[in-house]
């Protein structure tokens, strides 16, 4: 037990502590409380940023979708090469887009092109972004990557890897960013009211027309077309891989379309997700029905393409049309893509995965469809022909720019470093010829697969 | 010593394997092969183009037996592999010049 003196000291100490606490509390209470409006503003920015980043990550994952789809629809002797093309067009594209592309697309400029902010050395304040520049950039780079990777499918199984890298750098540096500037970077297309919300034209048609140029300059795969005009099917090696690719692309598209609001507070992200999904579903259903009627049995790979056709088709108008219209647009795209695939085969443009049919043709269609179905200004809503003509202008000019430039580029590559592999290499497979490896070593030859088996000498017996 | 080569339907492989075991056949070599005889192939469709698939998957079983066992083996395999439909397969018999067991060095019929 403490003596009375100790008790007194203890009591005084406690009083002192209490007094200090009250004093501090009082001091704090005298400061102004945090401004609620500013706090809400901060939360808004955070929400928008998180949404844009999430959407960007979803669109990035579409790279995996493209890789799986393209690998699945091509032969196993070329799988390693397809993987490399898909990996590197994003890797190379990312750096080039950071250094040059983004500036041309979103920099201060004129109606044709931007010219400030190379290497992201600018605030880009003129964009009036509500989110950090980095968030906006990463969102944009994955879109650029999507345009670039479309081409690898149409040019699969016969393109020199180095030549492909050159093309890849060019599309991410110039071809795509200029179109992006016209429509989204304050350029002349946006000024005349052109609507391409998430990129049916800017991303998918750009990729698709470049793919067309590439496929034409390359020529068809060996043994694809006979002299009498008949077509030899070259089946892909894994329909399961192709299907997984389509599912991944569908999933990623939920970042592609709704993400293009660039804001979480714009609750149309919900209706955009719905139009996106319905168009994909309708595209799949109509491709299914059409192939069932045409070929007698529902065709798996065409139905997969039909799904993508619906997605590409709705990308321009996902924010401007009703759910019902989305179904019609997706359905029409699903039908269109089947005929387009057959058409390109008939004119001997060999496209192993249907990239041109899905992205160029349905991209153009989806863009025009906005002129018909937009709730504000669409022909079917009493808007007259004005929007439709604006959309057509965009489609035509982007075709001319993209196809023209890409054609020149591929012809230049062909004349210099060469675009196509040798016949011998094409027959052996690009994995061996371009990369000195095999994606499926156990299937190549016994000697190589035995190389993986443990050697008895190594066991020390 | 004879080599008996049986080309049969994949669906009947297990039945033939069991039948061979029932007559004390000591070993066999099995390969997956493609081929056709009178059995026609089928038509497939890929992205709008038709093509004929004439090669059909079959199983090839190779067995080495003494001369006096060939007749019984052919009989047993035929019964196990027969469905009565076109595509049941074929059995061919070849002369074997010589044979060796690698582990022991035994030669001739002792190697079987």
């Amino acid at each position: 037990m403490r003596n009375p003196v100790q008790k007194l000291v203890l009591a005084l100490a406690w009083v002192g502590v209490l007094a200090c606490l009250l004093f501090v509390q009082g001091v704090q209470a005298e400061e102004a409380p945090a401004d609620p409006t500013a706090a809400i503003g901060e939360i808004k920015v955070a929400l928008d940023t998180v949404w844009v980043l999430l959407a960007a990550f979803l669109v990035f994952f579409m790279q995996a979708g493209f890789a799986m789809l393209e690998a699945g629809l091509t032969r196993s002797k070329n799988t390693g090469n397809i993987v490399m093309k898909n990996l590197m067009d994003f890797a190379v594209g990312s750096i080039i887009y950071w250094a040059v592309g983004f500036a041309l697309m979103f920099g201060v400029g004129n109606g044709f092109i931007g010219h400030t902010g190379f290497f992201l050395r600018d605030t880009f304040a003129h964009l009036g972004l509500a989110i950090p520049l980095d968030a906006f950039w990463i969102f944009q780079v994955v879109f650029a990557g999507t345009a670039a990777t479309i081409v690898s499918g149409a040019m699969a199984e016969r393109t020199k890897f180095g030549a492909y890298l050159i093309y890849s750098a060019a599309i991410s540096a110039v071809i795509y960013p200029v179109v992006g500037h016209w429509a989204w970077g304050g350029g002349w297309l946006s000024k005349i009211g052109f609507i391409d919300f998430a990129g049916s034209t800017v991303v998918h048609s750009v990729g698709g027309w470049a793919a067309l140029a590439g496929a034409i300059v390359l020529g068809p795969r060996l043994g694809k077309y006979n002299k009498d005009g008949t077509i030899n099917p070259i089946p892909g090696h894994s329909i399961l891989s192709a299907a997984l690719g389509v599912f991944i692309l569908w999933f990623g598209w939920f970042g592609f379309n709704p993400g293009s609001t660039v804001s979480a507070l714009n609750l149309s992200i919900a209706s955009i997700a719905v139009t996106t999904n319905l168009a994909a579903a309708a595209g799949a259903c109509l491709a299914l029905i059409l192939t069932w009627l045409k070929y007698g049995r529902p065709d798996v790979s065409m139905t997969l393409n039909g799904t993508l056709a619906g997605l590409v088709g709705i990308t321009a108008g996902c924010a401007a049309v009703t759910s019902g219209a989305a179904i019609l647009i997706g359905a029409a795209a699903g039908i269109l893509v089947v005929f387009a695939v057959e058409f390109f085969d008939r004119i001997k443009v060999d496209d192993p995965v249907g990239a041109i049919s899905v992205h160029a043709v349905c991209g153009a269609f989806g863009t025009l469809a906005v002129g018909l179905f937009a709730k504000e200004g669409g022909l079917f809503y009493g808007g007259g022909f004005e929007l439709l003509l604006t959309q057509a202008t965009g489609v035509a000019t982007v075709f001319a720019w993209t196809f023209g430039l890409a054609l020149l580029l591929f012809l230049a590559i062909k004349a210099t470093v060469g675009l196509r592999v040798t016949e011998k290499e094409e027959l052996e497979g690009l994995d061996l010829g371009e990369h000195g490896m095999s994606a499926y070593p156990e299937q190549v030859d016994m000697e190589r697969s035995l190389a993986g088996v443990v050697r008895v000498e190594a066991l020390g017996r | 010593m004879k080599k008996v080569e049986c080309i049969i339907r994949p669906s009947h492989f297990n039945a033939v394997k069991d039948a061979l075991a029932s007559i004390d056949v000591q070993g066999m070599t099995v390969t997956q092969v493609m081929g056709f005889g009178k059995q026609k192939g089928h038509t497939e469709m890929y992205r709008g183009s038709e093509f004929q698939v004439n090669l059909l998957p079959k199983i090839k079983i190779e067995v080495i037996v003494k001369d006096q066992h060939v007749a019984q083996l052919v009989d047993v395999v035929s019964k196990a592999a027969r469905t009565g439909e076109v595509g049941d397969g074929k059995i061919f018999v070849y002369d074997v010049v010589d044979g060796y067991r690698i582990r022991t060095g035994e030669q001739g019929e002792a190697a079987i």
Side-chain angles (χ1 to χ4, degrees):
Chain A
M1 252 333 251
R2 298 188 180 90
N3 61 44
V5 175
Q6 280 172 328
K7 276 194 204 164
L8 182 62
V9 170
L10 206 60
L12 282 173
W14 274 116
V15 167
V17 168
L18 219 61
C20 284
L21 283 171
L22 285 169
F23 174 69
V24 167
Q25 182 78 325
V27 167
Q28 280 183 334
E30 275 166 32
E31 285 178 6
D35 178 16
T37 313
I40 290 170
E42 279 175 26
I43 291 173
K44 279 186 185 178
V45 169
L47 264 173
D48 284 347
T49 304
V50 169
W51 171 242
V52 169
L53 288 176
L54 177 66
F57 302 157
L58 277 169
V59 176
F60 165 72
F61 196 46
M62 286 168 73
Q63 296 290 321
F66 280 107
M68 293 295 276
L69 175 67
E70 291 172 18
L73 291 179
T74 53
R75 289 164 291 185
S76 58
K77 65 184 181 182
N78 299 315
T79 299
N81 176 258
I82 275 282
V83 162
M84 279 296 267
K85 286 205 190 106
N86 277 277
L87 175 67
M88 295 316 295
D89 59 35
F90 186 68
V92 166
S94 285
I95 296 178
I96 299 260
Y97 191 71
W98 169 79
V100 175
F102 187 76
L104 296 185
M105 189 158 162
F106 287 105
V108 174
N110 52 36
F112 179 74
I113 199 170
H115 55 70
T116 64
F118 293 94
F119 301 94
L120 282 191
R121 284 210 295 246
D122 192 43
T123 57
F124 286 88
H126 64 282
L127 293 177
L129 294 172
I131 55 175
L133 177 65
D134 280 340
F136 187 68
W137 181 81
I138 193 119
F139 183 70
Q140 290 301 328
V141 76
V142 293
F143 274 65
T146 303
T149 199
I150 287 167
V151 180
S152 58
M155 296 181 67
E157 309 207 87
R158 62 231 195 263
T159 305
K160 270 195 177 150
F161 182 61
Y164 184 77
L165 286 179
I166 296 172
Y167 139 78
S168 186
I171 195 173
S172 300
V174 179
I175 303 179
Y176 167 79
V178 165
V179 174
H181 183 82
W182 294 353
W184 295 340
W188 70 278
L189 274 179
S190 65
K191 295 234 162 45
I192 63 167
F194 178 69
I195 296 176
D196 186 3
F197 191 72
S200 285
T201 283
V202 176
V203 177
H204 295 282
S205 281
V206 165
W209 300 130
L212 177 63
I216 289 174
V217 175
L218 261 184
R221 289 169 289 178
L222 290 172
K224 174 71 183 174
Y225 302 116
N226 302 315
K227 285 206 167 55
D228 63 0
T230 52
I231 302 160
N232 298 320
I234 302 180
H237 85 282
S238 173
I239 204 75
L240 182 60
S241 176
L244 182 61
V246 169
F247 276 115
I248 290 175
L249 286 170
W250 192 338
F251 174 57
W253 234 289
F254 288 123
F256 208 91
N257 287 1
S260 292
T261 58
V262 197
S263 171
L265 302 168
N266 180 353
L267 291 184
S268 60
I269 51 180
S271 61
I272 294 170
V274 170
T275 54
T276 301
N277 194 63
L278 289 173
C285 286
L286 266 300
L288 174 92
I289 292 170
L290 181 58
T291 57
W292 210 328
L293 292 170
K294 227 173 183 287
Y295 307 147
R297 277 178 293 201
D299 189 287
V300 183
S301 76
M302 286 289 223
T303 307
L304 289 172
N305 272 159
T307 314
L308 296 181
L311 284 164
V312 171
I314 196 60
T315 298
C318 54
V321 307
T322 63
S323 296
I327 291 176
L328 290 173
I329 293 172
I335 294 173
L336 192 56
V337 77
V338 174
F339 287 112
V341 167
E342 290 187 352
F343 167 72
F344 285 112
D345 251 344
R346 259 204 311 280
I347 63 168
K348 303 229 174 85
V349 173
D350 185 16
D351 181 357
V353 309
I356 304 167
S357 304
V358 169
H359 297 278
V361 175
C362 293
F365 166 70
T367 308
L368 293 172
V370 178
L372 300 173
F373 287 100
K375 285 180 282 190
E376 282 164 47
L379 179 64
F380 296 160
Y381 289 77
F385 283 92
E386 198 188 323
L387 181 59
L388 185 59
L389 280 171
T390 305
Q391 298 299 98
T393 307
V395 168
T397 50
V398 170
F399 167 75
W401 164 261
T402 305
F403 183 72
L405 258 192
L407 197 65
L408 287 172
L409 174 67
F410 286 122
L411 286 170
I413 294 175
K414 182 175 176 178
T416 52
V417 298
L419 185 61
R420 192 168 172 153
V421 299
T422 60
E423 252 192 40
K424 179 167 179 283
E425 188 182 325
E426 188 173 330
L427 292 170
E428 256 182 0
L430 269 61
D431 283 10
L432 240 50
E434 296 294 284
H435 308 287
M437 55 79 82
S438 165
Y440 300 97
E442 287 147 54
Q443 291 171 19
V444 173
D445 70 286
M446 243 168 80
E447 196 180 337
R448 196 171 284 103
S449 65
L450 283 175
V453 172
V454 172
R455 297 226 178 90
V456 72
E457 315 87 82
L459 294 174
R461 292 198 194 123
Chain B
M1 227 176 3
K2 296 281 189 282
K3 176 166 102 163
V4 183
E5 192 180 87
C6 316
I7 299 177
I8 59 165
R9 294 179 195 279
S11 53
H12 285 66
F13 173 64
N14 275 316
V16 169
K17 192 157 70 81
D18 290 344
L20 288 171
S22 73
I23 56 166
D24 271 337
V25 165
Q26 298 299 327
M28 64 183 78
T29 302
V30 179
T31 344
Q32 285 175 300
V33 296
M34 303 283 276
F36 65 93
K38 282 216 179 82
Q39 190 181 11
K40 300 263 183 289
H42 55 267
T43 312
E44 276 182 33
M45 180 77 87
Y46 186 74
R47 297 173 80 69
S49 300
E50 257 186 19
F51 60 110
Q52 276 296 113
V53 175
N54 285 321
L55 294 179
L56 299 162
K58 300 285 175 196
I59 296 285
K60 181 164 83 168
I61 305 175
E62 290 164 284
V63 183
I64 315 292
V65 288
K66 297 185 182 148
D67 290 10
Q68 58 266 39
H69 293 147
V70 171
Q72 185 196 24
L73 194 147
V74 169
D75 182 56
V76 155
V77 170
S78 298
K79 284 202 172 70
R82 182 176 297 136
T83 66
E85 300 290 323
V86 166
D88 275 349
K90 298 252 192 316
I91 300 177
F92 297 105
V93 183
Y94 304 85
D95 248 327
V96 179
V97 170
D98 209 346
Y100 301 84
R101 192 186 302 280
I102 292 175
R103 175 173 58 91
T104 59
E106 284 160 292
Q107 185 180 353
E109 287 194 349
I112 300 177

